[in-house]
Amino acid sequence: MTTSKTDSNLIAQEGQSADLDTVAVSRRKLLGGAVLAAGSLATPSLVSAAESNPDNLPPNVPEWTPYLGEGVDVNPYGMPSEHEAHVIRRSVEWLTASPESSVNFTPLHELDGIVTPNGLCFERHHGGVPEVIPQDYRLMINGLVDRELIFTIDDLKRFPQVNRFHFLECAANGGMEWRGAQLNGCQYTFGMVHNVQYSGVRLSDICREVGIKPEAKWVLAEGGDSAGMNRSIPIEKILDDCMIAYSMNGEALRPEQGYPARLVVPGWEGNMWVKWIRRLEFGDMPYMAREETSKYTDLMEDGNARMFTWVMDAKSCVTSPSPEKPILHKGQNLLKGLAWSGRGKITRVDVSLDGGRNWQAAELHDPVLDKSLTRFTLPFQWNGEDLLVQSRAMDETGYVQPTIQALQKERGVNSIYHNNAIATWHVKTNGEVENVRIG
Ligand code: MTE
Ligand code: CO
């Protein structure tokens, strides 16, 4: 998405906000002054438990038991159950400039654990998905190196392999929500993030092979798509933990994710993870590419823009209950969520059910990995009362996920990037859940 596209849509949304204000006022009364603004998309209606066919229930023999099932090899590449057809990537019409320059969102609310299945990883392309022929794929290294080299995919696979889980988050994740609650869905508010296990080669190993000249301080990473997307990366990060990945979750990268090879820049904004990577140029200063000057800078209140805001600060979200996952049962329930930090491991996640007045520690589930999504859960009782559900992540540097008010104080509301503020789900008395802004 572009700044102007999002801004104009923010304005369009604001223009339609009269009836939302009325709703907000009545809620304010209900919740003791807490709620200020509400999400603008229709809330999904409360889903009742699907009707069961009594013939299939105990003590009867269900219809799938007495007969042979489908044989092996009906689906040479396995697909999920047809009953899971709703678990898909989704896009937002007003954020879709064109199918080739667009974004869709991961259905975080439908997932367990920390792995994003390959077919559900959100996609962000600036020039569509190129069909790269693996035999014709090359990675070229040039600039301030001793030996300018060109690698095939097989060449890359002969380097020592590393296998690491990392999250990739677009800098614009939640970018529509700087000014208020905009999109009524966990998928839309948080879904520009995915977490897979990458297999590939350390860039430090490739650097050793080509020999880096002492003057080399920056690397320009360039994609092979029609957007020719490129970014400057400081040499320290390249040597620290960057990878060229050729696999995700055990199989070849998907075309959407950069087949046959992409750059992995752990913990840093998704825009730098150049897909279909074709060239690394070593230089002595940043290249000031379009994606780091006109885009992916954060416009502050005073008109200055923060540049090179690479790290994705600690963030978390409650995936259930959420607008797509209303509470269906009174009594015992399980709250589920995800937390991540571009600075290291998550050390703690606190959950509030009353808009931030009281907090309790959630359980963090193994594995808790460096710069990876971390799963948390918290059992809770619900007796039909209003809840204002929030989560707050902390990482190993001691950083605590901020409130939106604290973030706005520091950065204003002009940016569409790097919104890692605590979000709020309003659980209503009928169990439906809405994205709201409180303050
Ligand atoms: N690399 C190339 N070559 N072209 C692109 O359009 N989009 C970037 C980055 N790398 C992009 C790219 C952006 S903005 C993001 S957020 C991530 O890829 C998205 O990666 P994904 O599509 O695997 O989710
Ligand atoms: Co992005």
Side-chain angles (χ1 to χ4, degrees):
M1 83 206 61
T2 63
T3 312
S4 55
K5 175 82 185 163
T6 306
D7 281 349
S8 65
N9 279 296
L10 284 171
I11 291 158
Q13 298 268 323
E14 279 165 6
Q16 298 159 3
S17 65
D19 53 343
L20 291 179
D21 287 345
T22 327
V23 178
V25 169
S26 59
R27 270 202 210 97
R28 197 171 302 143
K29 227 158 125 193
L30 183 70
L31 296 161
V35 176
L36 289 183
S40 56
L41 296 187
T43 310
S45 57
L46 194 58
V47 191
S48 60
E51 286 286 310
S52 301
N53 176 358
D55 293 345
N56 285 330
L57 304 182
N60 299 326
V61 177
E63 59 193 305
W64 52 85
T65 301
Y67 308 103
L68 285 174
E70 296 273 22
V72 171
D73 216 15
V74 175
N75 292 315
Y77 192 97
M79 298 296 286
S81 158
E82 62 187 54
H83 301 286
E84 299 297 315
H86 56 287
V87 183
I88 51 170
R89 302 187 276 222
R90 290 190 175 82
S91 47
V92 175
E93 205 184 329
W94 60 266
L95 284 174
T96 306
S98 73
E100 296 79 20
S101 177
S102 190
V103 63
N104 59 22
F105 299 82
T106 308
L108 296 176
H109 59 285
E110 297 286 0
L111 304 180
D112 286 306
I114 60 167
V115 176
T116 313
N118 287 343
L120 295 176
C121 288
F122 88 93
E123 306 164 66
R124 171 72 176 109
H125 331 297
H126 294 75
V129 179
E131 193 187 328
V132 180
I133 300 164
Q135 297 86 328
D136 299 345
Y137 170 83
R138 296 291 183 275
L139 173 65
M140 173 174 158
I141 316 271
N142 69 314
L144 296 173
V145 293
D146 298 331
R147 290 173 296 283
E148 295 189 329
L149 290 175
I150 293 178
F151 298 102
T152 65
I153 258 298
D154 286 341
D155 293 336
L156 292 175
K157 288 184 177 172
R158 285 187 290 131
F159 280 93
Q161 188 183 67
V162 279
N163 297 283
R164 294 208 217 108
F165 285 94
H166 287 303
F167 76 83
L168 180 166
E169 184 181 19
C170 180
N173 199 19
M176 299 72 76
E177 315 249 338
W178 271 100
R179 293 157 195 252
Q182 283 275 328
L183 294 163
N184 205 30
C186 177
Q187 183 161 12
Y188 303 122
T189 301
F190 291 104
M192 275 195 256
V193 66
H194 53 63
N195 198 65
V196 307
Q197 187 183 35
Y198 293 99
S199 303
V201 45
R202 280 185 211 92
L203 265 179
S204 56
D205 286 341
I206 294 183
C207 285
R208 243 188 311 279
E209 184 72 15
V210 296
I212 307 298
K213 292 197 191 298
E215 318 86 85
K217 297 284 179 264
W218 290 82
V219 174
L220 182 76
E222 180 184 73
D225 51 340
S226 65
M229 224 212 66
N230 55 6
R231 287 292 304 256
S232 310
I233 301 164
I235 193 90
E236 295 80 14
K237 180 67 176 173
I238 292 282
L239 295 175
D240 177 22
D241 59 0
C242 287
M243 294 167 64
I244 301 287
Y246 41 76
S247 291
M248 56 195 285
N249 291 334
E251 63 179 5
L253 289 183
R254 291 288 171 91
E256 306 92 294
Q257 266 68 47
Y259 178 85
R262 91 175 301 166
L263 187 61
V264 169
V265 191
W268 287 21
E269 62 186 13
N271 187 256
M272 307 178 82
W273 297 48
V274 176
K275 301 191 276 192
W276 316 290
I277 183 135
R278 74 168 169 205
R279 195 165 71 90
L280 295 170
E281 179 177 312
F282 288 74
D284 56 2
M285 41 183 178
Y287 288 77
M288 298 308 198
R290 172 183 175 275
E291 300 286 306
E292 53 207 19
T293 52
S294 86
K295 304 281 177 263
Y296 299 93
T297 62
D298 312 335
L299 184 59
M300 300 289 100
E301 282 299 288
D302 63 3
N304 284 315
R306 298 198 312 152
M307 197 171 58
F308 297 146
T309 47
W310 300 310
V311 179
M312 301 308 293
D313 283 318
K315 186 167 174 177
S316 64
C317 66
V318 174
T319 55
S320 177
S322 63
E324 300 97 325
K325 290 283 173 194
I327 306 185
L328 301 176
H329 305 281
K330 290 190 177 164
Q332 181 76 8
N333 278 280
L334 186 68
L335 180 146
K336 299 195 289 184
L338 290 163
W340 59 97
S341 166
R343 297 185 194 277
K345 289 183 185 169
I346 290 294
T347 49
R348 184 184 168 107
V349 177
D350 288 334
V351 170
S352 175
L353 301 178
D354 57 6
R357 291 189 184 91
N358 297 288
W359 296 91
Q360 44 189 320
E363 181 188 349
L364 301 186
H365 292 254
D366 284 338
V368 177
L369 301 170
D370 182 47
K371 305 180 187 97
S372 163
L373 293 192
T374 297
R375 174 61 64 180
F376 66 87
T377 60
L378 181 76
F380 70 104
Q381 293 286 325
W382 184 65
N383 298 309
E385 69 276 29
D386 279 286
L387 303 176
L388 291 171
V389 178
Q390 301 183 331
S391 63
R392 181 178 66 188
M394 281 158 251
D395 70 21
E396 60 184 336
T397 69
Y399 179 94
V400 181
Q401 186 183 356
T403 61
I404 185 71
Q405 288 77 17
L407 207 59
Q408 285 174 341
K409 205 163 159 224
E410 200 184 300
R411 309 227 196 106
V413 292
N414 293 328
S415 178
I416 57 161
Y417 301 119
H418 294 282
N419 174 7
N420 68 316
I422 294 168
T424 310
W425 302 142
H426 172 202
V427 177
K428 302 182 211 178
T429 52
N430 65 359
E432 286 182 1
V433 182
E434 194 172 9
N435 180 17
V436 297
R437 171 65 48 85
I438 63 171

